[in-house]
Amino acid sequence: MKHLPQTHADEMAGWLAQVATACLIDEARLTPKPGLVDSRGSGAHHDLTLALMERSAHSLTPAFRYMAEHSWQRPADIALRETVGRLGRDGEQAMMAATGGVNTHRGAIWALGLLVSAVAMLGGSASGDVVTVCAARLARLPDSAAPKGFSKGLRATHRYQVPGAREEAQQGFPHVTRLALPQLRASRARGAAETEARLDALMAIMTSLSDTCVLNRAGLAGLEAMQRGARAVLNAGGTAQPAGREALARLDADMLARNASPGGAADLLAATLFLDRTSLPQAAH
């Protein structure tokens, strides 16, 4: 691959960081989302607001930029994996400082950090499938400095014996590439407004994701209700249709009643929006 002038690399790193931040903000603002923070309110959360989510997103811009800079046209190796991990943890500290200690985007740092790094590793342009394969290669490498303790997400994956955010990345983000992106583009092609297409993409993720945020709050029954409710929205024609909007309202009420919030699905929606904006069309490869 031809190496480009450093000024171009710097510009691309800044652009990737801005896009990643914008996708986090677009995900947060998307309304109405079941159980999640949106422009209506805090959903099933008592410690989150839309303003806090946006402040958190802006705090992560430098971390995403550093990841892109350090990953530029680099191969996937342990040295890069450990660098990206360290920069992600630095970003998490900046996020916690911006939010007063509230975990707003820890999962999104993992997903978007890997995708930002992968696009940079590929020189700033590639199809979505190539980017996710590259991100998976990086995610599968060990990071000796990674925390050894169990997060809430890891506890849920062990308790319920389901895959979590780590496995999703190591498998190349299948919920993004096989479900969310195709649904996003299919809804647009059918004439859905952008908000409706994005909500449909979120529903597509929620139909099968083992969302550890929901598992932690509402157990397997809550997870099954989320998946069943999301399928009902899409089976009714999606959120562009009155029946789909009614199904979405029922899912939202159910998630709130269960105090469940599909935060893992929200992270993957942000990843979907990022790939949608940064990837070359598949036909170009």
Side-chain angles (χ1 to χ4, degrees):
M1 183 177 285
K2 181 182 177 183
H3 283 259
L4 297 166
Q6 190 61 39
T7 52
H8 178 78
D10 291 343
E11 288 173 3
M12 283 298 301
W15 178 73
L16 288 169
Q18 290 296 331
V19 172
T21 300
C23 289
L24 288 177
I25 292 172
D26 285 349
E27 180 281 311
R29 291 178 177 174
L30 183 64
T31 305
K33 298 193 301 290
L36 288 159
V37 174
D38 60 21
S39 64
R40 299 171 302 167
S42 298
H45 297 275
H46 303 296
D47 56 350
L48 299 180
T49 64
L50 182 56
L52 192 71
M53 299 293 286
E54 294 190 14
R55 188 157 73 242
S56 169
H58 285 296
S59 77
L60 294 172
T61 306
F64 291 138
R65 182 182 184 117
Y66 296 145
M67 289 180 196
E69 289 174 346
H70 282 275
S71 301
W72 188 256
Q73 296 184 325
R74 286 271 303 276
D77 55 26
I78 290 176
L80 179 59
R81 172 69 184 88
E82 293 186 341
T83 297
V84 170
R86 173 177 55 80
L87 294 170
R89 289 186 289 276
D90 289 347
E92 188 175 313
Q93 289 185 346
M95 172 195 76
M96 290 294 197
T99 64
V102 179
N103 171 24
T104 41
H105 284 124
R106 183 176 288 149
I109 295 171
W110 166 249
L112 280 173
L114 285 167
L115 293 173
V116 165
S117 299
V119 175
M121 291 163 71
L122 295 163
S125 60
S127 71
D129 284 349
V130 174
V131 171
T132 52
V133 166
C134 184
R137 194 176 298 129
L138 195 61
R140 288 194 294 265
L141 291 169
D143 178 2
S144 61
K148 300 298 187 284
F150 267 46
S151 65
K152 286 183 179 179
L154 277 176
R155 279 198 295 271
T157 62
H158 281 256
R159 177 180 177 185
Y160 295 104
Q161 295 296 295
V162 295
R166 179 182 298 175
E167 291 78 14
E168 177 75 17
Q170 291 172 344
Q171 293 166 12
F173 296 98
H175 282 84
V176 173
T177 58
R178 298 177 196 168
L179 295 174
L181 270 174
Q183 182 65 60
L184 180 71
R185 291 163 179 168
S187 292
R188 285 173 179 160
R190 288 199 299 266
E194 186 62 19
T195 291
E196 296 161 347
R198 292 175 182 179
L199 286 170
D200 288 350
L202 177 64
M203 293 302 107
I205 295 167
M206 288 168 58
T207 59
S208 73
L209 185 70
S210 300
D211 195 311
T212 55
C213 297
V214 173
L215 282 170
N216 273 313
R217 285 169 165 256
L220 278 173
L223 182 70
E224 290 166 359
M226 177 197 83
Q227 294 174 346
R228 188 169 58 247
R231 283 194 295 271
V233 175
L234 295 180
N235 289 341
T239 57
Q241 301 301 319
R245 289 194 292 274
E246 290 171 8
L248 178 60
R250 289 194 296 272
L251 176 58
D252 186 31
D254 190 20
M255 291 290 97
L256 291 175
R258 295 173 187 271
N259 193 37
S261 175
D267 294 337
L268 291 180
L269 177 61
T272 301
L273 298 178
F274 178 80
L275 275 181
D276 182 54
R277 292 182 201 178
T278 59
S279 300
L280 294 176
Q282 303 294 341
H285 289 260

